[in-house]
Amino acid sequence: MQKLLVTGGAGFIGSNFVHHVVENTDAHVTVLDKLTYAGNAASLDGLPADRVRLVKGDIVDAELVDTLTANVDAVIHYAAESHNDNSLHDPKPFVDTNIIGTYTLLEAARRYDRRFHHISTDEVYGDLELDDPERFTETTPYNPSSPYSSTKAGSDLLVRAWVRSFGVQATISNCSNNYGPYQHVEKFIPRQITNVIRGIRPKLYGSGQNVRDWIHADDHSSAVLTILGKGVIGETYLIGADGEKDNRSVVELILTQMGQESDAYDHVTDRAGHDLRYAIDSTKLRTELGWLPAFGDFESGLASTIAWYQTNEPWWASSKDATESFYASKGQ
Ligand code: NAD
Ligand code: DAU
C-alpha cells in the first residue's frame, strides 16, 4: 500500500503513526485533520513535503472524504474526540465525529472498495476489578462507561456491520493507554509533566488506585502497520504491551524522575464514572501476526517523554493555561 489517508494525523497517536510510516516505509501519506483544539500541524513539522500532505477538513464532510479516499489505497482512521473528561462536559462533538465521522468514512471506503483500518480503544470493554485475573480479549463483551467510550463502541459496531453487510475490507484494533511525544496536555501524563515544569503540583483524581495499561505510541504504530500488512479482514486485534500501572505510581515516578519529592502531588475531585482498571491480553496479535512491542521498559519510555516535553515547550505552551482553567472550574 503506497498511498495512505490518515485521519486525525495531526493528533497525538495519528502524528506518531505518520512519523513511523515515513521512517519505516516508502508510503505517501495524506493527513485529513480538522485541527480541533487537539490537533497541531506542528506535530508534522520536519516530515518530507513530498511524502506527507496535510488537508484541513472534517471527516463528516462526505464530498471531501470521497475525493481523498478515491485517491489512496487505504484509510487509517484515527480522528476522534478522544478525551473522557470533555465527553462528560459536552458529549455532542463525540457523537458527531466518532459516530457520524466513522459512518462517512465507511461509506467512502465502500464506494471505492478501499482497505480500511479503524483505530479504537480498550475502553469499549468497560473496566476490570483490581484483583481480576482476567484481561480484555477480542471476545470480551462491550460495556462502555462514558460518552467517549460509548461513541467509540458504536463506531466499532458500524465497522463490523459494514464488513458483514457490504464487504468493506476493514480491520479494527483496540489499544490501551498510549504515552509518548505530541500528546495534548489535557491527558494524564503530559498534564503532570507540564505541571511540574510550570511549578504546579500534579493532580491525581480520587484515590489514584485506578490502573491503566501503558504502551508507547510508537509501539501502537508498529502494531497498526503489522495489522495493515497481515491482518485478516473482518478481524479485531487488541494492542497492548503488558504495561499495567496505577495512577499514583505513575505520578510518583514522574515526580522522582523530575527531581521532586514523590509525594508532592494533590488529590482532586474524581472523574464521574471513573473506570477502575484496563488490562489488555494481546496474545492474538502476537501469535497470529508476529507483532512485539519494542519499548519494554516504561520507566525509560517515560524519561524520554519527560525530556521531550522539557525541550518542546513551544509545542505545548499555548494550550496549557486554557487546559488548567477548564480543570480548575471542575475542581480538578
Ligand atoms: P487526539 O485527541 O490527540 O487527536 C485526535 C485528532 O483528530 C486531532 O488531530 C483532531 O484535530 C482530529 N479530529 C477531531 N475531530 C475531527 C473531525 N471531525 N475531522 C477530522 N479530524 C478530527 O487523540 P489521540 O489520543 O491521538 O487518539 C487517536 C485515536 O486513537 C482515537 O480514535 C482514539 O479513540 C484512539 N485511541 C487513543 C488512545 C490513547 O491512549 N490516546 C488509546 C487507544 C485508542
Ligand atoms: O485506554 C485507552 C484510552 O486512554 C483512550 O481511548 C483515550 O482516548 C485516552 O484519553 C485514554 O483515556 P483515559 O481516560 O484512561 O486517559 P487520561 O489521560 O484522561 O487519564 C488516565 C488516568 O489518569 C485516568 O484514570 C484518569 C487519571 N487522571 C487523569 C488526569 C487528566 C488523573 O488522575 N489526573 C489527571 O489530571
Side-chain angles (χ1 to χ4, degrees):
M1 284 176 267
Q2 280 307 302
K3 290 191 279 181
L4 307 180
L5 177 61
V6 177
T7 72
F12 165 44
I13 311 180
S15 63
N16 273 278
F17 179 74
V18 177
H19 282 269
H20 188 91
V21 165
V22 168
E23 282 157 25
N24 294 281
T25 76
D26 297 325
H28 288 69
V29 178
T30 301
V31 168
L32 171 58
D33 199 297
K34 190 177 174 181
L35 297 179
T36 67
Y37 79 97
N40 190 342
S43 302
L44 302 171
D45 280 356
L47 293 171
D50 60 342
R51 300 268 312 275
V52 178
R53 175 171 75 114
L54 171 62
V55 176
K56 184 179 177 190
D58 196 321
I59 57 168
V60 306
D61 179 343
E63 203 176 319
L64 175 62
V65 163
D66 259 35
T67 306
L68 296 176
T69 303
N71 288 299
V72 295
D73 304 309
V75 178
I76 301 93
H77 175 33
Y78 287 89
E81 286 292 337
S82 69
H83 193 37
N84 278 297
D85 292 323
N86 292 344
S87 80
L88 296 164
H89 176 71
D90 180 14
K92 175 74 164 44
F94 290 75
V95 175
D96 292 341
T97 289
N98 300 358
I99 305 267
I100 307 295
T102 302
Y103 156 78
T104 306
L105 288 159
L106 282 168
E107 283 291 83
R110 172 187 176 197
R111 191 166 299 119
Y112 298 103
D113 193 22
R114 294 298 190 258
R115 179 79 170 83
F116 188 88
H117 182 70
H118 179 60
I119 304 296
S120 192
T121 167
D122 59 358
E123 293 194 21
V124 300
Y125 301 114
D127 59 354
L128 298 162
E129 293 300 326
L130 294 178
D131 60 357
D132 191 334
E134 301 298 318
R135 298 187 290 172
F136 298 139
T137 72
E138 287 77 4
T139 57
T140 302
Y142 274 35
N143 187 27
S145 311
S146 72
Y148 162 67
S149 53
S150 60
T151 58
K152 290 299 293 188
S155 67
D156 292 8
L157 298 182
L158 291 179
V159 178
R160 290 185 184 184
W162 261 243
V163 171
R164 176 156 175 166
S165 301
F166 305 125
V168 169
Q169 305 170 62
T171 42
I172 300 173
S173 54
N174 298 78
C175 188
S176 61
N177 284 64
N178 286 221
Y179 72 98
Y182 302 112
Q183 187 170 28
H184 193 278
V185 293
E186 70 188 352
K187 301 292 186 345
F188 178 51
I189 287 180
R191 184 183 183 202
Q192 313 316 335
I193 294 170
T194 54
N195 276 354
V196 176
I197 293 172
R198 285 280 170 92
I200 305 168
R201 285 166 69 91
K203 310 291 182 214
L204 199 55
Y205 291 177
S207 67
Q209 66 180 336
N210 307 66
V211 170
R212 296 296 182 264
D213 188 353
W214 294 100
I215 180 172
H216 195 280
D218 199 54
D219 279 336
H220 189 174
S221 298
S222 71
V224 169
L225 267 192
T226 301
I227 296 166
L228 267 180
K230 298 195 245 175
V232 176
I233 299 304
E235 291 293 313
T236 289
Y237 298 91
L238 262 57
I239 305 174
D242 302 330
E244 282 188 71
K245 294 236 175 295
D246 66 71
N247 293 341
R248 196 171 56 194
S249 304
V250 174
V251 164
E252 289 173 355
L253 208 48
I254 290 169
L255 281 162
T256 51
Q257 288 197 354
M258 297 184 76
Q260 308 287 312
E261 294 296 326
S262 65
D263 62 354
Y265 60 84
D266 296 328
H267 289 277
V268 294
T269 309
D270 206 354
R271 174 183 285 170
H274 195 174
D275 279 341
L276 189 52
R277 172 175 164 241
Y278 306 140
I280 287 269
D281 178 348
S282 58
T283 302
K284 177 177 174 180
L285 177 62
R286 292 174 192 232
T287 56
E288 294 185 11
L289 305 189
W291 172 81
L292 276 178
F295 285 77
D297 175 10
F298 178 74
E299 296 196 11
S300 62
L302 183 64
S304 62
T305 304
I306 290 171
W308 189 87
Y309 281 92
Q310 285 169 327
T311 52
N312 288 280
E313 188 157 346
W315 182 89
W316 56 264
S318 60
S319 311
K320 184 65 182 170
D321 291 346
T323 301
E324 290 307 315
S325 300
F326 172 71
Y327 281 128
S329 72
K330 300 191 304 142
Q332 293 180 318

